[in-house]
Amino acid sequence: METNTLGNTQIKKTKKSKSKLYNNEYRAAFLFILIPIIGFIIFTLFPFFVSLYGSFTDWNGIGQMNFTGLTNYKNLIKDPYFWKTLGNTFYLMLGIPVGLILSFLLASALNRRIVGKTFFRVIYYIPVVSSLAAISILWQWAYNGDFGLVNQALALIGVEGPNWLQNVNTIKPAIIIMTVWKGLGYSMLLYLAAIQSVPKTFYEAAELDGANALQRFKYITWPMVRPITFFLIVTNIIGGSQMFTEINIMTPTGGPQYSSATVVWYLWRQAFNNWKMGYASAISVVLGVLIFVITALQFHLNKRSDYKLD
């Protein structure tokens, strides 16, 4: 009986000690989780509700918020500059498919056994980790109509280049080239990882069945990398709709005839140049809704991209 009593006592002590250890770990885990939650509430959730309420006021950022109802949204519909900048934003997103195609081709090339492929991977990825402000200044100099590197290169083949950032017809293509170059390494790296994750047995089985290179790409490579393509499209659209730094540095006035101004740049100008915080908040709400709708549509259209390995 004494042995049983002693054994039960030891079991109770073990359970009690485990319970204390569990509680301590639970408290520690809760503290680690609490920090980002507090940051999210302070820096994301609270500003969101302030901006949402501010879009219904005539707030100038300093004084009192006077409720004006839907006035800002009505003015927004009639604002030609808003529609101009919205059109510019979507136009600049034409670089997304170009960048994805180029990055996939580069990833396919660097996946082969070529001399110096590690060196090329590093070179293509350097712009990704470089400062966006520094890159914008670099390309602003390169596009200079008088002494820019681009026009100097064109002069070698007898072509007189335009003043890229001061010409309505060339300013948006010039910015697209810069943004494609900036994000090429990141997309290439993801595509390269996706291609290398495809089991080689798939290709070996396809070759035994007589599949050519095009058929192997269509039925093996593309289905396996399609989730990466979906991820890149969604993230690039979200990032492209918020383009600001490049525009503010390369074309600080929005370009000739507002030809390079984006929605976020126009939002910033209304908020901090004209002190129309309420109007800027209305622009941000509309932009947020557009991003949400486009992203939701992308998820809906991407349902067929799911695949299973049998």
Side-chain angles (χ1 to χ4, degrees):
M1 295 296 293
E2 292 180 358
T3 304
N4 292 337
T5 304
L6 181 60
N8 293 335
T9 303
Q10 289 178 347
I11 292 173
K12 289 181 180 179
K13 287 182 178 180
T14 304
K15 289 183 177 180
K16 188 175 181 181
S17 61
K18 287 184 178 179
S19 179
K20 287 183 178 180
L21 179 62
Y22 174 80
N23 291 334
N24 291 335
E25 291 182 348
Y26 181 82
R27 293 190 191 98
F30 179 76
L31 290 176
F32 278 107
I33 296 173
L34 186 62
I35 295 174
I37 290 177
I38 292 175
F40 174 77
I41 293 173
I42 295 176
F43 298 107
T44 302
L45 198 60
F46 177 72
F48 168 76
F49 285 110
V50 172
S51 178
L52 182 62
Y53 176 74
S55 66
F56 297 101
T57 67
D58 60 353
W59 188 40
N60 61 2
I62 300 177
Q64 186 178 1
M65 289 184 174
N66 298 316
F67 187 80
T68 57
L70 297 175
T71 302
N72 288 327
Y73 293 96
K74 292 178 181 178
N75 294 334
L76 192 63
I77 295 175
K78 302 176 183 178
D79 188 354
Y81 291 105
F82 168 73
W83 296 107
K84 175 74 173 179
T85 56
L86 186 63
N88 292 340
T89 302
F90 283 109
Y91 187 98
L92 294 175
M93 289 185 190
L94 293 176
I96 294 176
V98 176
L100 293 181
I101 293 172
L102 291 177
S103 59
F104 180 80
L105 294 176
L106 283 173
S108 300
L110 294 177
N111 189 47
R112 299 178 179 273
R113 294 181 180 179
I114 58 176
V115 179
K117 63 179 180 180
T118 303
F119 171 77
F120 286 110
R121 291 176 186 177
V122 174
I123 290 297
Y124 282 117
Y125 198 74
I126 286 177
V128 179
V129 296
S130 301
S131 168
L132 182 56
I135 287 177
S136 299
I137 294 172
L138 175 67
W139 279 90
Q140 184 184 33
W141 169 81
Y143 280 134
N144 187 278
D146 298 323
F147 53 82
L149 184 63
V150 175
N151 282 354
Q152 289 182 18
L154 291 175
L156 296 176
I157 58 176
V159 177
E160 183 179 356
N163 193 351
W164 295 88
L165 299 180
Q166 299 300 324
N167 190 314
V168 177
N169 298 321
T170 59
I171 187 169
K172 283 194 279 290
I175 295 175
I176 288 175
I177 292 173
M178 189 272 285
T179 54
V180 168
W181 176 83
K182 174 69 170 66
L184 200 61
Y186 176 72
S187 302
M188 179 204 68
L189 191 66
L190 292 182
Y191 272 130
L192 183 61
I195 292 173
Q196 292 180 346
S197 66
V198 179
K200 293 182 179 179
T201 54
F202 288 7
Y203 295 108
E204 293 172 355
E207 289 180 2
L208 291 175
D209 291 338
N212 56 35
L214 182 61
Q215 290 173 330
R216 292 196 298 270
F217 169 78
K218 181 179 179 181
Y219 296 107
I220 299 176
T221 306
W222 176 244
M224 297 292 283
V225 304
R226 189 160 53 182
I228 296 297
T229 303
F230 167 70
F231 170 78
L232 289 172
I233 290 175
V234 171
T235 54
N236 284 336
I237 288 177
I238 294 174
S241 62
Q242 302 176 44
M243 186 182 297
F244 169 76
T245 304
E246 306 93 315
I247 307 302
N248 195 45
I249 292 177
M250 298 176 67
T251 57
T253 60
Q257 302 177 20
Y258 257 41
S259 54
S260 67
T262 59
V263 174
V264 174
W265 183 88
Y266 184 60
L267 182 157
W268 169 82
R269 190 175 182 85
Q270 291 295 324
F272 298 102
N273 281 22
N274 300 332
W275 296 102
K276 295 181 179 180
M277 294 290 184
Y279 191 65
S281 297
I283 298 175
S284 67
V285 171
V286 172
L287 179 62
V289 171
L290 285 175
I291 294 174
F292 175 81
V293 171
I294 294 173
T295 304
L297 182 62
Q298 288 292 327
F299 273 94
H300 176 71
L301 296 176
N302 190 62
K303 288 181 179 180
R304 295 182 179 179
S305 67
D306 296 333
Y307 61 89
K308 296 180 180 180
L309 297 179
D310 297 330

